[in-house]
Amino acid sequence: MLFIILVLAIFAGLYMAWSIGANDVANSMSTAVGAKAITLRQALVIASVLNFLGAVLVGKHVTDTIKGKIVDLSLMSQHDAMLGFLAALLSASIFVTLSTWKELPVSTTHAIVGGVAGFGLAEGGIQAVKWATLGKVAASWVISPLAGGAIAFLMFMVIRRYIFDAKDPVAIAKKLSPLFIALTFFIILMSIFTKTRAGELLGYSMKEYILLSVVISTILGGIGYLFIRKRKKRGRVYDVVEGLFRRLQIMTSCYVAFSHGANDVANAVGPVAVIIAFAWKEVDTAYLLAFGGIGLAIGITTWGYKVIRTVGSRITILTNTRGFSVDFAAATVVLVASKLGLPISTSHTVVGSVIGVGLARGLDAVDLEVVKNIIYSWLLTLPATAITSILIYMGLRILF
Amino acid sequence: MPRVAVGKVYRKKSPFEGLLQHMNKVKECIELLKEGFFRYVEGDFKEFHEVARKVSDLEHEADLIKGNIRAHLPRSILMPVDKRYFLWLLREQDAILDHAENLAQLLDLRHTEIPDELREDFKKHMEKVAETIKEMEKAVGNLKDLTETGFGSREREETKGYIHQVHKREWEADQLRYNITKKIYEIEDKLSPMDEYHLLKIVDWVDDMADHAENVADWLRAMIAK
């Protein structure tokens, strides 16, 4: 009996990882492919590899959030909890698959939170659910898009004000490029140091990490400047400027892919880890992370392949400066919010950032009707996964 | 059809692209009409029927583009400019073609002999109207740079410069029209009533095209305001 549950859990986890890979690959790579910073094939390889590396190298403590923070497990038996997590996994992954099918970027984190809360509600009643966590999730609906939109808006305003409006946009873009490079690397380094296990392994304090990031990113900015200074590219002025931002955009895209692997692998692996621990024994998380990472990579290469290709052919109006603004905003918000302990969603932030650039007169057209549907899908995530989870849980209870 | 999570947020086609396509039809049409008109003024009516047909074709093609742009602008669309201004601009740009078609058909329906002393004036006037439209094309064409820079002030200044030129040329065209009209009245004893009626009408209708080009420039000016 336990064996069957174990096998089911592993498959469900793999399915969840697959659907996460398929749904979220667009977050990191759509702007880069859309703005023609990289080709489809490159995006595919980069996203798979970096998601996998992010998951394996710096994946978060996988079980913590999923296990303890949503539902009070002390109120139910281990057997019920096991079935519950299986139900949560299945309902979340079905919801994410459907959302991808409906072309709606949802938060996979919210999906799993909703699933777990659902079975908690069914088994332990209202007091079993930790409502504070759900409250924070609700806060993400507002915080993620607003913060992403604000930063992307400001970033694009800065680019317009100081580069596009300058007498010689190319010269000023070259001059400012070390600043943008340094800023990009600062965000990336800070995230790696403070959000991942890499930081814990090094064991410095927050202040030291900030200092270290400043120093390294300044050096990298300087090096970047040496390369860019010599570049002589002919062509339309704005095309040359966009070309300079291309590289920055590739970096931010890579970072978003990497951090996605690091953060969201837990959504698939976490429940599996809990089930294995209950049914068998505690296993080394490294194996589980690798397993989740492979799932993500498969999701990217199977469905994600089509996802990126479609986005690439669809976004004809996104240029590198816009893509950079969106990616930079997403990366920054994810970093700052997670430091503040807010469970924000990359998907939500990216959508908000796109609108932010649109409000800054950066995009030719954004269909707000589509945006409205996306927001509905965010609001729907928790109840939908919770209810599905309850139904699956009841079915599993009958079977096992 | 592969499905994409974020993809729908971005729209496939920029409405500005359509507007520029429409503008290119205007450009093609006015060039054609101007050449045909010059020959017509010289009394060469032979090929004018062909010109009128082509002008009509271009007008129709532009109409299709216009319809397509309008059909793909949903009510809730976020654009860098006011959508109403955008649609008004499109409408006025299309009106240039409507008037070009009317003029070409009028010229084709009745071959009106232009008196010798008016020929140069007619040509000059048409030339000025074509110039007005050309400046308008530059102004509208600069939308590409405007959208690329997120409507930056430098490109806005450049557009304003073209708009100013449109106004200047349109005013000059008005002067020419005034002078021609005056001359027509001066020689009216020599003209048959039908000829006089048609000469006056031709001048008016040539001038109408510049008026609509000016309207386009005005809507553009409103569009790029901060």
Short mmCIF file of all heavy atoms in Angstrom, two decimals, chain A residues 10 46 59 66 101 107 153 177 261-262 316 326 338 355 368:
data_model
loop_
_atom_site.label_atom_id
_atom_site.label_comp_id
_atom_site.label_asym_id
_atom_site.label_seq_id
_atom_site.Cartn_x
_atom_site.Cartn_y
_atom_site.Cartn_z
N ILE A 10 5.91 9.94 -6.57
CA ILE A 10 7.05 10.28 -7.42
C ILE A 10 6.56 10.72 -8.81
O ILE A 10 7.04 11.70 -9.37
CB ILE A 10 8.02 9.09 -7.50
CG1 ILE A 10 8.77 8.99 -6.16
CG2 ILE A 10 9.01 9.26 -8.64
CD1 ILE A 10 9.56 7.74 -5.99
N ILE A 46 19.51 27.14 -22.52
CA ILE A 46 19.81 27.96 -21.35
C ILE A 46 18.78 27.71 -20.24
O ILE A 46 19.14 27.48 -19.08
CB ILE A 46 19.79 29.47 -21.74
CG1 ILE A 46 20.98 29.79 -22.65
CG2 ILE A 46 19.86 30.34 -20.49
CD1 ILE A 46 20.92 31.17 -23.26
N GLY A 59 18.87 24.98 -4.65
CA GLY A 59 17.46 24.78 -4.31
C GLY A 59 17.24 25.02 -2.83
O GLY A 59 18.07 24.69 -1.99
N ILE A 66 6.34 24.00 2.55
CA ILE A 66 5.23 23.12 2.20
C ILE A 66 4.76 22.34 3.41
O ILE A 66 3.56 22.17 3.64
CB ILE A 66 5.70 22.14 1.09
CG1 ILE A 66 6.22 22.90 -0.12
CG2 ILE A 66 4.59 21.18 0.73
CD1 ILE A 66 5.17 23.54 -0.94
N TRP A 101 -2.44 25.70 -20.78
CA TRP A 101 -3.27 25.47 -21.97
C TRP A 101 -4.10 26.70 -22.29
O TRP A 101 -4.24 27.10 -23.45
CB TRP A 101 -4.18 24.26 -21.74
CG TRP A 101 -5.14 24.05 -22.86
CD1 TRP A 101 -6.48 24.22 -22.83
CD2 TRP A 101 -4.82 23.65 -24.19
NE1 TRP A 101 -7.02 23.97 -24.06
CE2 TRP A 101 -6.03 23.62 -24.92
CE3 TRP A 101 -3.63 23.33 -24.84
CZ2 TRP A 101 -6.08 23.27 -26.26
CZ3 TRP A 101 -3.68 22.98 -26.19
CH2 TRP A 101 -4.89 22.95 -26.87
N SER A 107 0.77 31.45 -10.71
CA SER A 107 1.86 31.16 -9.79
C SER A 107 1.79 29.70 -9.40
O SER A 107 0.79 29.24 -8.84
CB SER A 107 1.74 32.04 -8.55
OG SER A 107 2.53 31.50 -7.53
N PHE A 153 8.57 50.44 -14.94
CA PHE A 153 8.19 51.79 -15.38
C PHE A 153 9.36 52.75 -15.18
O PHE A 153 9.78 53.44 -16.11
CB PHE A 153 6.98 52.25 -14.55
CG PHE A 153 6.46 53.62 -14.90
CD1 PHE A 153 5.50 53.79 -15.88
CD2 PHE A 153 6.91 54.75 -14.23
CE1 PHE A 153 5.01 55.04 -16.20
CE2 PHE A 153 6.43 56.01 -14.54
CZ PHE A 153 5.48 56.15 -15.53
N SER A 177 26.61 52.01 -19.80
CA SER A 177 26.50 50.55 -19.75
C SER A 177 27.18 49.91 -18.53
O SER A 177 26.62 48.97 -17.97
CB SER A 177 27.02 49.94 -21.05
OG SER A 177 28.37 50.25 -21.21
N GLY A 261 14.51 27.97 -11.10
CA GLY A 261 14.84 26.60 -10.73
C GLY A 261 15.06 26.49 -9.23
O GLY A 261 14.58 25.56 -8.57
N ALA A 262 15.79 27.46 -8.69
CA ALA A 262 16.13 27.42 -7.27
C ALA A 262 14.88 27.52 -6.39
O ALA A 262 14.76 26.82 -5.39
CB ALA A 262 17.09 28.55 -6.93
N THR A 316 6.30 40.91 -31.39
CA THR A 316 7.08 41.60 -32.41
C THR A 316 7.37 43.02 -31.96
O THR A 316 8.14 43.73 -32.60
CB THR A 316 6.30 41.66 -33.74
OG1 THR A 316 5.01 42.17 -33.44
CG2 THR A 316 6.18 40.30 -34.35
N VAL A 326 11.75 44.79 -18.13
CA VAL A 326 10.85 43.78 -17.56
C VAL A 326 11.65 42.78 -16.72
O VAL A 326 11.32 42.50 -15.56
CB VAL A 326 10.06 43.05 -18.67
CG1 VAL A 326 9.32 41.85 -18.11
CG2 VAL A 326 9.09 44.00 -19.33
N SER A 338 11.57 38.45 -1.41
CA SER A 338 11.87 37.24 -0.67
C SER A 338 12.73 37.56 0.56
O SER A 338 12.66 36.87 1.57
CB SER A 338 12.56 36.21 -1.56
OG SER A 338 13.80 36.71 -1.97
N ILE A 355 3.09 45.63 -18.04
CA ILE A 355 2.13 46.75 -18.00
C ILE A 355 2.86 48.04 -17.61
O ILE A 355 2.57 49.11 -18.15
CB ILE A 355 0.99 46.44 -17.03
CG1 ILE A 355 0.22 45.21 -17.54
CG2 ILE A 355 0.03 47.62 -16.91
CD1 ILE A 355 -0.74 44.65 -16.54
N LEU A 368 -5.60 44.94 -22.48
CA LEU A 368 -5.96 44.90 -21.07
C LEU A 368 -7.02 43.83 -20.78
O LEU A 368 -7.16 43.38 -19.65
CB LEU A 368 -6.45 46.27 -20.61
CG LEU A 368 -5.36 47.35 -20.62
CD1 LEU A 368 -5.94 48.70 -20.21
CD2 LEU A 368 -4.22 46.99 -19.68
#
